[in-house]
Amino acid sequence: MKQIKKLARRGMAQTLALLAAIFFGVTAVFGLIMLGEGVEQALMMVVAMVLMFGIIMLIFVLIGSVPYLRIGKMIKRQCEDLGIELNEEEEFEFVTKEISMSKNWIVSGLYGSNFALHRRSIDHVEETSYYQKGRTYPMILLFVGLKKKYKIICSRKGDFERVTDALDQWFPPLETPENTAGESADKTPVNPAVEDRQARRDRILRQEQGQSGKKTIAAILGVVGMVVVFSVIYNLLPARTSAPKTTPNIVSQPQKPKAKDRQVDAYIATVKDDQFQQIAKGLIVETDGDEDSIEPLIVSSENNQTRFAIYNGTPYFFYGQMVVYDENNKELGTLEIPLAKPYEYCFLNDYVEGAASSYDYSVAEYYSLSYAATEARYQFTLNGDEESSWSDILLASEDVSEDNVEEICMAEYYSNVLSQISSEELMFYDENELSYVNEDENQGLDRASAKYRAVLDIDRGVIEWYSNNNGSETALSSISMK
């Protein structure tokens, strides 16, 4: 058990070491700056900063210790339930910086998300995605029992493949029959949730966002942020000499691409809607979009006219112009893709004459939206049945609150205005309290188990939302967005 607990605390030790390095670095910088005001003032500032940093470190230690202290009980309980003895000599391999695996155990040393699971405790494994502030990361869910599940968020490039390859040694994937049904001509595209396992994994890998150097960048930003805060505080203190203390007024202008570099601007100018125009000002150019994640779908081919939809599998809004060709590589026409929402389908208004065979993009631009940023992390999944469609939103237990739900509703509302989605229904769930229709995961989430429901009505400019208690809804105050 000592060996596993040692592996589980690696993340906390690394996090605290990084924080300590930042704190000492900032303290040293300010100590040198304050020497110009005198040794006494420099010592006072250093003491104040050490006290403040000590409190912050204590908070991080307490937060990180809670899941770590549960590791021993978790291991003991599994050994009792499975009737096994813990082998202290078991050899572990570092699959990623946080995940360690042996022939029987998988251990997470991620700060605040420690766990140790025996392979026989894991009922099944699911590969999915995790969304945070407009970005997506591959995620692996380890299900234990009916309700418990443990997350492995693969935030660094290559981690998803390494972890899934290691898990495949435990649980070889079942072979699935090839899809021979062909493309559907129905106007409703195929739900990604029914893709076969390999296609699902390929799509998740295309969504992977490399995050190499993230901790270094975070450390640098942390140092800069603290230097700025202490500079402001110091400049607010009374001057200690007869000379007035002044601070230069420096105004930084954000760098924006030239209008000719943004093909989307011509499209934006054609939309005669004040709300759209205001929100479009929050578009931020992104350069790491992937055209392979923009998937065109033929939704109808009648009267020699071919109509398209696309699935935007990127974390960004996509504006594009798609050139369509027939089987003889003759150009049939160019279709405009007007700001497709991340991870949703977009039906194109226009069509081409003739039978489409291939396509390419003459324009492909990616944008994030400043108005769509949220503090709470959440998973977003399209869902529906024969009668209606909606979106399922999963939140961590600690994030299920009216404030977070309202913030997410507003972010999705702004996104829908930009993508001209006139109405959308959102269902909010606690990811640790999920129940399914007829207790069958394949039939989808039971809507009665949702904590909140919201309807985003763009035409009326209002968000109607409700709290839910086992299917009994209570209307909350409507949110006016105009």
Side-chain angles (χ1 to χ4, degrees), residues 305-316:
Q305 295 176 347
T306 304
R307 294 184 178 273
F308 285 87
I310 67 157
Y311 176 72
N312 179 7
T314 75
Y316 308 118

Side-chain angles (χ1 to χ4, degrees), residues 3-200:
Q3 182 185 16
I4 294 179
K5 293 182 72 174
K6 181 178 179 181
L7 294 170
R9 68 169 176 259
R10 290 178 71 249
M12 183 166 63
Q14 292 173 355
T15 300
L16 295 179
L18 179 63
L19 287 174
I22 294 173
F23 294 164
F24 283 121
V26 172
T27 302
V29 169
F30 268 94
L32 293 174
I33 292 174
M34 293 299 296
L35 282 176
E37 300 289 335
V39 176
E40 183 180 352
Q41 295 297 329
L43 288 175
M44 289 178 61
M45 180 64 77
V46 168
V47 170
M49 293 178 68
V50 168
L51 289 174
M52 184 191 74
F53 291 159
I55 294 172
I56 294 175
M57 288 287 288
L58 180 60
I59 293 172
F60 272 86
V61 170
L62 293 175
I63 294 174
S65 296
V66 173
Y68 169 69
L69 293 175
R70 295 173 181 168
I71 290 291
K73 293 182 179 180
M74 182 184 296
I75 297 169
K76 185 178 179 181
R77 183 174 62 250
Q78 291 177 89
C79 290
E80 292 174 352
D81 292 344
L82 299 174
I84 59 175
E85 293 184 1
L86 189 62
N87 180 10
E88 295 288 354
E89 302 300 325
E90 197 153 348
E91 294 184 1
F92 282 84
E93 176 184 354
F94 292 112
V95 181
T96 71
K97 287 186 177 181
E98 295 86 13
I99 303 298
S100 308
M101 291 181 67
S102 68
K103 65 178 182 179
N104 289 311
W105 291 89
I106 179 169
V107 181
S108 170
L110 182 63
Y111 174 82
S113 299
N114 310 110
F115 64 79
L117 296 176
H118 193 277
R119 62 184 178 86
R120 286 168 53 192
S121 295
I122 302 172
D123 292 327
H124 71 279
V125 178
E126 181 178 320
E127 297 159 3
T128 181
S129 300
Y130 191 80
Y131 305 100
Q132 178 191 13
K133 297 182 180 179
R135 287 188 175 272
T136 185
Y137 306 91
M139 180 171 68
I140 300 162
L141 298 177
L142 307 177
F143 286 82
V144 178
L146 295 177
K147 294 185 177 180
K148 290 185 179 179
K149 63 181 177 182
Y150 298 87
K151 297 182 292 188
I152 301 176
I153 301 171
C154 302
S155 59
R156 284 185 297 272
K157 192 172 182 64
D159 280 4
F160 178 75
E161 289 178 295
R162 284 188 282 270
V163 176
T164 52
D165 288 346
L167 288 172
D168 282 346
Q169 302 300 314
W170 281 0
F171 313 111
L174 298 175
E175 294 184 0
T176 57
E178 294 182 356
N179 181 10
T180 57
E183 292 187 352
S184 171
D186 194 290
K187 289 190 177 183
T188 303
V190 178
N191 191 327
V194 301
E195 294 174 344
D196 68 286
R197 185 176 188 275
Q198 186 58 46
R200 182 183 180 88

Side-chain angles (χ1 to χ4, degrees), residues 156-400:
R156 284 185 297 272
K157 192 172 182 64
D159 280 4
F160 178 75
E161 289 178 295
R162 284 188 282 270
V163 176
T164 52
D165 288 346
L167 288 172
D168 282 346
Q169 302 300 314
W170 281 0
F171 313 111
L174 298 175
E175 294 184 0
T176 57
E178 294 182 356
N179 181 10
T180 57
E183 292 187 352
S184 171
D186 194 290
K187 289 190 177 183
T188 303
V190 178
N191 191 327
V194 301
E195 294 174 344
D196 68 286
R197 185 176 188 275
Q198 186 58 46
R200 182 183 180 88
R201 179 175 292 187
D202 290 343
R203 183 163 61 84
I204 293 172
L205 280 172
R206 289 199 301 270
Q207 296 171 357
E208 186 174 47
Q209 301 291 329
Q211 298 293 315
S212 58
K214 180 175 63 176
K215 290 185 178 180
T216 302
I217 295 173
I220 294 172
L221 292 177
V223 171
V224 172
M226 281 185 257
V227 169
V228 171
V229 170
F230 273 89
S231 296
V232 172
I233 294 173
Y234 178 74
N235 280 281
L236 291 175
L237 295 175
R240 294 175 180 81
T241 68
S242 57
K245 184 178 275 294
T246 60
T247 304
N249 183 20
I250 302 174
V251 180
S252 60
Q253 297 293 335
Q255 296 295 318
K256 300 181 75 173
K258 296 180 181 178
K260 67 182 180 64
D261 297 329
R262 286 174 39 128
Q263 300 294 321
V264 72
D265 290 335
Y267 162 71
I268 291 173
T270 65
V271 181
K272 306 303 181 183
D273 180 79
D274 292 341
Q275 188 175 213
F276 176 93
Q277 293 294 333
Q278 179 62 38
I279 294 172
K281 295 177 182 178
L283 286 173
I284 303 169
V285 177
E286 301 289 349
T287 58
D288 57 343
D290 182 8
E291 288 185 19
D292 291 338
S293 297
I294 309 298
E295 303 174 13
L297 302 165
I298 296 177
V299 296
S300 69
S301 184
E302 300 174 352
N303 301 322
N304 203 36
Q305 295 176 347
T306 304
R307 294 184 178 273
F308 285 87
I310 67 157
Y311 176 72
N312 179 7
T314 75
Y316 308 118
F317 288 87
F318 176 76
Y319 173 78
Q321 294 176 10
M322 183 173 70
V323 184
V324 184
Y325 304 90
D326 65 11
E327 61 182 5
N328 297 318
N329 208 31
K330 177 184 176 182
E331 183 176 327
L332 299 178
T334 300
L335 301 178
E336 187 173 51
I337 303 170
L339 285 171
K341 187 179 176 182
Y343 305 111
E344 287 210 23
Y345 293 96
C346 173
F347 291 90
L348 308 191
N349 295 324
D350 208 350
Y351 59 87
V352 294
E353 297 282 354
S357 178
S358 60
Y359 63 90
D360 60 26
Y361 299 108
S362 58
V363 174
E365 297 178 351
Y366 303 89
Y367 299 88
S368 56
L369 179 64
S370 60
Y371 299 108
T374 61
E375 292 296 328
R377 297 182 175 186
Y378 62 97
Q379 296 183 57
F380 180 97
T381 306
L382 300 175
N383 210 334
D385 53 27
E386 295 180 354
E387 299 179 355
S388 61
S389 62
W390 62 89
S391 298
D392 290 332
I393 292 181
L394 274 60
L395 287 161
S397 298
E398 61 271 18
D399 290 333
V400 180

Side-chain angles (χ1 to χ4, degrees), residues 433 435 446-452 467-473:
E433 298 180 13
S435 62
D446 182 359
R447 287 163 60 96
S449 68
K451 301 300 182 183
Y452 296 91
S467 62
N468 182 47
N469 184 14
N470 295 324
S472 177
E473 288 190 341

